[in-house]
Amino acid sequence: MTDDTLANRLLLVRERIERACARAHRDPATVKLLAVTKIFGPEVIREAWAVGLREFGENYVQEMERKAPVVADLAGARFHLIGHLQSNKTKKASQLFAAIDSLDSVKLANRLDAEGVPLDITVEVKLSEEDAKTGAAAAELPAIVEAIRSSKHLKLRGLMTVPPWSEDPELSRPYFARLRELAAAHSIEELSMGMSNDMEVAIEEGATWVRVGTALFGSRRPLLGLTP
Ligand SMILES: *Cc1c(COP(=O)(O)O)cnc(C)c1O
């Protein structure tokens, strides 16, 4: 019935967001869409910009470095780093991104602040026991929040979490609920949670950002060790 174009996939994602908001009695305008363009080339960012998307999530500093010159002319486009940041890459990250959504240590907060560039910051919290996941432990959050709030250039916006992957989005719900509690305890406004497979549950639990890749752009081809 509908063609499989980015414009149509975006419509479907917006409908999913609206239906979840209706169930949760929320205004859809309170849920922002972060378009996750990792692994895809800069032409995909241009295409996404052309259909109205303005906030983009990228996982790797080096990958963004390659894309940045090609997308520099896209007015109003803002890039968020959503992948783990190594402390030796804070200078480049502060030049390439408007927002760091994956900050997970006091050390990183101090290093980013020392770069002297205004940055929106979201703290990534690890709420599962999985070894492979990055993110700060909940117990480390008070010190990280304090470091950001007492910094010169960093603005604390939100918390982010990535639950263990599962086919069943309901299994993400307790992680999302926990993130909401942590944010409330620290008076933090934004909640970045929910991806292609579990955005509805995240919205029901209070997400103000959903980070969507696959549902917009299709599956990511494996590419030279950059597979997620
Ligand atoms: C890749 C990625 C996403 C997007 O995942 P999809 O399942 O493709 O929507 C969201 N958040 C983070 C942190 C990611 O690494």
Side-chain angles (χ1 to χ4, degrees), residues 36 38 59 82 160 162 165 195-197 211-215 220 228:
V36 177
K38 64 166 171 239
N59 286 57
I82 60 172
M160 189 261 265
V162 183
W165 200 90
M195 319 202 300
S196 290
N197 74 317
R211 306 180 309 273
V212 180
T214 310
R220 293 174 282 272

Side-chain angles (χ1 to χ4, degrees), residues 38-190:
K38 64 166 171 239
I39 313 293
F40 290 99
E43 71 283 355
V44 170
I45 299 174
R46 303 195 77 85
E47 207 193 329
W49 184 88
V51 296
L53 292 162
R54 292 294 180 269
E55 307 277 343
F56 299 96
E58 288 281 342
N59 286 57
Y60 310 97
V61 172
Q62 258 174 306
E63 188 180 334
M64 190 63 220
E65 213 175 1
R66 279 189 276 114
K67 294 177 189 178
V70 194
V71 297
D73 60 318
L74 299 180
R78 292 177 83 246
F79 294 92
H80 300 233
L81 180 68
I82 60 172
H84 182 64
L85 177 59
Q86 290 167 275
S87 55
N88 63 352
K89 295 218 171 111
T90 51
K91 178 171 279 314
K92 274 183 183 151
S94 70
Q95 293 162 347
L96 292 164
F97 294 98
I100 307 295
D101 290 3
S102 50
L103 187 131
D104 63 1
S105 72
V106 169
K107 179 181 163 190
L108 263 182
N110 292 338
R111 287 208 181 207
L112 279 171
D113 191 43
E115 303 298 351
V117 181
L119 284 171
D120 285 338
I121 299 291
T122 292
V123 179
E124 182 178 359
V125 187
K126 177 188 142 117
L127 298 173
S128 69
E129 298 304 318
E130 280 178 293
D131 293 336
K133 285 269 159 56
T134 54
E140 295 165 339
L141 196 53
I144 296 172
V145 166
E146 168 58 23
I148 299 166
R149 287 198 165 133
S150 61
S151 74
K152 274 207 179 67
H153 306 285
L154 310 182
K155 181 99 189 140
L156 181 59
R157 298 291 184 190
L159 297 183
M160 189 261 265
T161 200
V162 183
W165 200 90
S166 161
E167 293 270 335
D168 180 2
E170 276 303 323
L171 297 183
S172 297
R173 189 181 296 277
Y175 297 97
F176 296 154
R178 178 79 184 116
L179 195 71
R180 186 189 61 226
E181 290 166 8
L182 285 172
H186 293 280
S187 306
I188 296 171
E189 226 160 276
E190 307 281 346

